[in-house]
Amino acid sequence: MPVIDAHAHLYPPEVNASPAAWAAARGEAHWATLCTRVRKSGRPVQGFPSVADLLRAMDAADVERVVLLGWYWEKPETCAWQNRFYAECLRLHDDRVSAFAALHPEAGLAAVREEISRAMDAGFSGVGELSPHSQGIPVDDPVLGEALAFAGELGLAVNFHVTEPDSKDYPGKIATPLADFARLARAYPETTFIWAHWGARAALDPGIGAEVRALNNVFFDTAASPLTYPPKIWREMADAVGAGRILFGTDFPLVLYPARETEPCMLSLADEARTSELDDDELAAILCGTARRVLGI
């Protein structure tokens, strides 16, 4: 059964060589807090693989394509820099790699529209992973709104980072109120939204769940699932919204099973999906079909 990993991250060699020093020099402290920390065991929360390492991890897990998501950087210039790196990844490996563009509204409307247009021309499939809450941007920011509308006009999906409100505290955790994302989905009905990390189970929420389930332009990815949710989440979300609204994503290169793994791996989460209570049609949709349909890849 084909697999598309619709939520992964990758960084250029200068980041991988010394992540903390690079972040300090770039003024990307929040990224450093999240991505260079270690667990209580002393092991890193994630790896910093090269493009070649990514391709090997894909082959080991029989992943036919990966979608590289941008980061919610603090500096607009870092967003543009990552987008150039991803464009080169697409140029060299367009048979295996797709990408989403990073954006920061503080760049201004003209620059943001130009960045989205450039990404479209380079073959990108979407925009994100966005997190206005992490960037200190109001969700009603007019530049953000124009970016969401423009992405919709171009047929580019938009991925939002959504934090589980009931998860344990960790360094760098930022609250992302679910109602904010629902409001944006209502305001831009022509734009396709993907809420990362199961959308913090918004579709199951007793308060906002019914509204979320009715938002047909909202989809959900499974990124980092085992770090927050038990395996029953697959069945619960499929029952709530249907497998046709769920995209498989790992959040590679996060280490998803730190109790038993020391390196990032795509295969383990795919195996969790395969051993869940999903039937074959649901599994096919989540592992590949929804991404192909929604992202056109």
Side-chain angles (χ1 to χ4, degrees):
M1 186 177 293
V3 178
I4 294 174
D5 186 340
H7 189 132
H9 299 278
L10 199 67
Y11 308 101
E14 59 264 38
V15 178
N16 298 339
S18 185
W22 173 87
R26 285 276 188 159
E28 296 291 351
H30 186 243
W31 175 86
T33 298
L34 288 170
C35 296
T36 67
R37 62 190 177 94
V38 297
R39 303 190 187 279
K40 292 179 180 179
S41 64
R43 293 174 178 168
V45 299
Q46 71 165 67
F48 288 94
S50 65
V51 176
D53 293 332
L54 169 70
L55 294 172
R56 281 191 288 270
M58 293 170 64
D59 290 341
D62 289 327
V63 171
E64 68 175 33
R65 180 171 291 274
V66 68
V67 181
L68 300 177
L69 294 193
W71 192 266
Y72 30 96
W73 302 106
E74 295 176 69
K75 307 293 183 182
E77 55 269 28
T78 314
C79 295
W81 165 85
Q82 186 176 46
N83 294 342
R84 301 295 85 73
F85 171 62
Y86 279 178
E88 181 65 6
C89 291
L90 263 64
R91 188 183 70 81
L92 295 174
H93 304 286
D94 64 347
D95 60 328
R96 304 292 304 277
V97 172
S98 298
F100 276 34
L103 292 177
H104 199 310
E106 284 187 356
L109 180 57
V112 165
R113 286 180 65 93
E114 181 179 357
E115 201 65 37
I116 295 174
S117 296
R118 186 182 293 116
M120 179 74 175
D121 292 341
F124 283 46
S125 302
V127 172
E129 184 178 4
L130 301 183
S131 181
H133 305 91
S134 301
Q135 293 173 318
I137 301 296
V139 293
D140 60 355
D141 177 83
V143 175
L144 175 62
E146 289 287 345
L148 300 179
F150 190 42
E153 291 172 16
L154 297 178
L156 298 174
V158 176
N159 184 295
F160 272 115
H161 170 80
V162 187
T163 301
E164 167 57 58
D166 295 330
S167 66
K168 64 182 179 181
D169 288 337
Y170 54 84
K173 180 179 179 180
I174 300 290
T176 60
L178 300 178
D180 288 350
F181 300 111
R183 186 161 73 251
L184 291 173
R186 291 195 307 270
Y188 303 97
E190 303 304 315
T191 301
T192 296
F193 293 95
I194 302 168
W195 294 0
H197 316 295
W198 293 111
R201 301 178 302 173
L204 304 175
D205 186 87
I208 200 174
E211 177 186 357
V212 169
R213 293 191 294 272
L215 293 169
N216 293 326
N217 61 330
V218 173
F219 296 78
F220 308 86
D221 79 31
T222 71
S225 181
L227 294 177
T228 305
Y229 303 114
K232 66 179 183 179
I233 189 70
W234 300 88
R235 182 71 267 156
E236 290 175 338
M237 285 293 290
D239 286 341
V241 301
R245 290 175 64 184
I246 302 171
L247 296 85
F248 177 78
T250 60
D251 219 348
F252 184 90
L254 270 180
V255 178
L256 298 182
Y257 299 89
R260 67 175 193 258
E261 295 179 345
T262 60
E263 298 293 332
C265 172
M266 297 176 173
L267 179 60
S268 298
L269 187 59
D271 283 346
E272 181 181 294
R274 294 185 182 105
T275 56
S276 69
E277 297 178 2
L278 300 171
D279 65 34
D280 287 347
D281 288 342
E282 290 171 325
L283 189 61
I286 292 173
L287 289 182
C288 183
T290 306
R292 281 181 173 165
R293 175 170 52 85
V294 173
L295 303 181
I297 57 178

